[in-house]
Amino acid sequence: MAFRRRKNTAAIPRTAPSFEHIVTEASDSFLWRLDDYPWERNVWNFHPEYEIHLLRKSSGVVLVGDHIGEFGPGYLTIVGGGLPHDWVTAVQPGELIEGRDIVLQFDAERLRGSADMLPELRELEPFLERSLRGMVFHGGTALEGAALMERMGTVHGLARFCLFLELVDLLARTDEYELLSSPNFQPVLDAASLDIIQRTLTYLFQHFAEDLKLPDVAELAGMSESTFSRFFQKNTGNSFSDHLAKLRLWQACKLLADTDVPITDICFQVGYMNISNFNRAFLRKHKMTPSSYRKLSRQRLAMRA
């Protein structure tokens, strides 16, 4: 059964459940859901079910395991069971993005358990293993996969299940994908730890352009600097400074691609104190200068026009 969840509040909550309990209708073998944004489950969360996630609208930061990246409309991912994840869009107080996400969640063990009767399902095993690190799909695969997920919202029962099998077959066979999280990422998946991480990640996303210091954020988390540093690295896969740099460079890329703001101004707007450090960090991350990135972005935009 398809249904939509809404959260009509002024801001993303600072404290929220970290473990998401998935409830599938008795008549369905998987859950298909259309989500508005934000709502209470849009947090750094994990669950044993696999999740295929389509971002239909807006842009923002994607967090999958220790991966930090950016998403835009049409961003299609699968996240394996137990892998923490979140897709964050900056919204104004009271703003609601209707139908931002299509979420499909399924129990991989049900597929494996059905392989005795339907042996073709065994072909999915390598795909299920890859998905434990999270995967993002590109090109024609992303377009076709997005279309299949949209069509699922128009049908029910066996027709929807057939589309599900078509989708997982498409994603299992393609080579148009990128693995996201590192193979050695092993967070502490207890409710208390994930709650602290969720609140910290929310705070960093809201304030990354400011002059943030590790001791100040550690104090907000109620930990000593050294304890928080180890805790953050363990549970996000990134050091505090690396995480902050990735957020700042993500915002810089958006400003370079979407605006005519001078590069020197962008440097300060995203939280860097001098242009040399900004240029150095950008070159290390993107293998090109900010000016080259802006030029390439505009060339791609012109080609699509």
Side-chain angles (χ1 to χ4, degrees), residues 135-175:
M135 303 167 65
V136 58
F137 300 94
H138 305 295
T141 300
L143 292 173
E144 188 176 349
L148 287 169
M149 292 190 73
E150 295 280 1
R151 285 172 58 194
M152 286 183 197
T154 67
V155 297
H156 300 278
L158 186 59
R160 179 178 286 182
F161 183 67
C162 289
L163 290 174
F164 168 71
L165 291 178
E166 187 176 349
L167 176 64
V168 294
D169 179 65
L170 169 72
L171 301 184
R173 292 180 182 277
T174 187
D175 59 2

Side-chain angles (χ1 to χ4, degrees), residues 55-298:
L55 278 302
R56 303 170 70 236
K57 304 176 182 179
S58 78
S59 60
V61 173
V62 55
L63 306 167
V64 174
D66 60 353
H67 171 78
I68 301 175
E70 60 181 301
F71 69 82
Y75 189 89
L76 180 65
T77 53
I78 183 168
V79 177
L83 184 63
H85 54 274
D86 195 10
W87 292 266
V88 184
T89 296
V91 293
Q92 298 300 316
E95 181 183 358
L96 185 73
I97 305 173
E98 295 189 358
R100 189 194 73 157
D101 313 71
I102 294 180
V103 178
L104 189 160
Q105 294 162 331
F106 65 93
D107 183 354
E109 293 308 312
R110 294 184 71 177
L111 289 180
R112 292 183 173 111
S114 302
D116 289 338
M117 294 181 291
L118 301 170
E120 291 86 354
L121 292 176
R122 294 195 181 97
E123 297 177 10
L124 296 176
E125 190 58 39
F127 167 64
L128 295 175
E129 287 296 318
R130 288 195 299 273
S131 300
L132 291 173
R133 290 178 56 187
M135 303 167 65
V136 58
F137 300 94
H138 305 295
T141 300
L143 292 173
E144 188 176 349
L148 287 169
M149 292 190 73
E150 295 280 1
R151 285 172 58 194
M152 286 183 197
T154 67
V155 297
H156 300 278
L158 186 59
R160 179 178 286 182
F161 183 67
C162 289
L163 290 174
F164 168 71
L165 291 178
E166 187 176 349
L167 176 64
V168 294
D169 179 65
L170 169 72
L171 301 184
R173 292 180 182 277
T174 187
D175 59 2
E176 294 180 306
Y177 70 86
E178 174 190 351
L179 295 175
L180 297 178
S181 187
S182 302
N184 58 352
F185 176 62
Q186 294 181 326
V188 178
L189 298 178
D190 65 82
S193 295
L194 282 173
D195 180 64
I196 295 172
I197 286 295
Q198 165 60 23
R199 288 187 284 114
T200 303
L201 293 178
T202 299
Y203 183 82
L204 292 179
F205 184 76
Q206 293 173 340
H207 300 279
F208 65 81
E210 301 172 13
D211 185 20
L212 293 179
K213 302 296 185 184
L214 176 60
D216 299 328
V217 181
E219 184 177 355
L220 289 173
M223 299 179 182
S224 68
E225 182 177 345
S226 59
T227 299
F228 176 76
S229 182
R230 292 191 298 269
F231 174 83
F232 191 87
Q233 176 86 45
K234 172 69 175 177
N235 287 283
T236 69
N238 295 290
S239 69
F240 174 81
S241 59
D242 284 346
H243 186 94
L244 199 56
K246 288 178 180 180
L247 289 176
R248 288 170 171 170
L249 292 175
W250 160 76
Q251 179 67 7
C253 287
K254 283 180 59 65
L255 292 172
L256 288 166
D258 300 340
T259 75
D260 294 319
V261 175
I263 292 174
T264 301
D265 292 348
I266 290 175
C267 161
F268 295 109
Q269 285 183 23
V270 302
Y272 282 91
M273 296 298 104
N274 65 74
I275 191 68
S276 296
N277 287 344
F278 173 65
N279 285 333
R280 201 159 38 241
F282 198 97
L283 182 62
R284 185 166 57 247
K285 170 69 174 175
H286 294 287
K287 312 304 180 189
M288 64 179 74
T289 64
S291 58
S292 296
Y293 184 93
R294 171 170 274 172
K295 182 179 180 181
L296 181 61
S297 297
R298 292 181 177 177

Side-chain angles (χ1 to χ4, degrees), residues 22-35:
I22 309 302
V23 179
T24 304
E25 297 291 328
S27 59
D28 297 328
S29 55
F30 63 94
L31 181 147
W32 183 98
R33 193 177 72 221
L34 182 64
D35 283 354

